Amino acid sequence: MGVFENIKALNNRIDEICQKCGRNRDEITLIAVTKTKPISLLKEAQQAGEINFGENRPQEIVKKYPELDGIKWHLIGQLQKNKVKHIIDKTELIHSVDSLSLALEIDKRAGQIDKVQDILIQVNITKEESKSGVYPEDAEAVIREISVLKNVRIKGLMTISKKEFDVESNKNTFRKLRELSEKIDALNIENVSMKELSMGMTNDFEEALSEGATIIRVGTAIFGAREM
Ligand SMILES: *Cc1c(COP(=O)(O)O)cnc(C)c1O
């Protein structure tokens, strides 16, 4: 199947899941994860109606940004401080903020172009050493520190589930992220919203939606398998 058919099937599936778990489709954003994929396929996805694209490498956003109009770009992978200046004028939402020092750099660069950059705090629920993200017990402190910055705004939390895990374990990860989000929301920290929960990929977006995801990040189900 081509990208067009894949997107149609995926959206039908999302509609079904929403009905099943009593969620409003309008409050869910599908991000088409375009990493490693050529512009021609991105254009197909755009023609099929997708406008939210996600990349895990800043340099890919830099490269693809001028090729397409009207796309909302999401950075979903690790961001090094020295790369912030290259993407700050291009990103709708940065999903992967996991330290005060990174947030400070984003705040500085956003300030220089009069932008308030929306961000999510990435949480390492499963505490894998290979993964970035703050540990759940450190999230509140980091969020409080970042919340005082003028040119970044925290909109919620993000996590990456374990590909090798079965979906039930991933559901557990998603539930923990939602519970953390509710806990932080109840603190009513000024300038901090817990509206967004970015979680769920091709293998487990159904579980993520049933646990309250507002943003799902799907690559393979749209563009097929990646070579790397
Ligand atoms: C690659 C990637 C995805 C998409 O994964 P698929 O299994 O292809 O849907 C989602 N989130 C992040 C952070 C990724 O790096």
Side-chain angles (χ1 to χ4, degrees), residues 31 33 35 55-56 76-77 95 122 158-160 163 198 200-205 216-222 224-226:
I31 296 185
V33 177
K35 62 191 187 195
E55 284 284 343
N56 63 339
I76 60 175
H95 293 229
Q122 183 175 349
M158 176 267 211
T159 200
I160 304 177
K163 266 215 164 107
S198 169
M201 313 192 271
T202 291
N203 288 332
D204 52 22
F205 68 84
I216 56 174
R217 312 176 304 260
V218 179
T220 307
I222 295 175
R226 286 176 297 271

Side-chain angles (χ1 to χ4, degrees), residues 22-126:
R23 303 228 15 224
N24 182 354
R25 176 66 178 87
D26 296 341
E27 65 190 32
I28 291 152
T29 303
L30 168 64
I31 296 185
V33 177
T34 52
K35 62 191 187 195
T36 78
K37 297 299 175 183
I39 292 292
S40 57
L41 291 186
L42 275 62
K43 286 191 172 155
E44 280 185 43
Q46 187 176 22
Q47 272 155 20
E50 298 309 320
I51 52 164
N52 287 281
F53 287 180
E55 284 284 343
N56 63 339
R57 296 168 62 202
Q59 49 270 46
E60 282 294 297
I61 293 184
V62 172
K63 206 175 82 189
K64 289 170 176 169
Y65 182 86
E67 307 271 346
L68 295 160
D69 280 331
I71 295 299
K72 296 178 176 177
W73 288 98
H74 296 253
L75 185 76
I76 60 175
Q78 213 178 8
L79 177 57
Q80 282 166 346
K81 273 177 274 180
N82 61 357
K83 300 278 165 54
V84 172
K85 58 179 177 289
H86 302 303
I87 58 155
I88 193 67
D89 58 333
K90 304 176 180 66
T91 37
E92 175 81 7
L93 181 63
I94 299 176
H95 293 229
S96 45
V97 177
D98 63 355
S99 70
L100 174 62
S101 63
L102 175 58
L104 279 167
E105 177 65 15
I106 295 171
D107 182 61
K108 175 179 140 192
R109 297 294 178 180
Q112 288 170 350
I113 59 165
D114 277 330
K115 180 183 186 184
V116 178
Q117 175 66 60
D118 287 341
I119 65 168
L120 303 178
I121 302 301
Q122 183 175 349
V123 185
N124 189 351
I125 296 281
T126 48

Side-chain angles (χ1 to χ4, degrees), residues 157-175:
L157 305 179
M158 176 267 211
T159 200
I160 304 177
S161 53
K162 237 179 149 170
K163 266 215 164 107
E164 319 78 73
F165 268 21
D166 59 281
V167 288
E168 271 312 305
S169 317
N170 285 343
K171 196 168 155 66
N172 203 34
T173 302
F174 300 146
R175 183 178 317 118

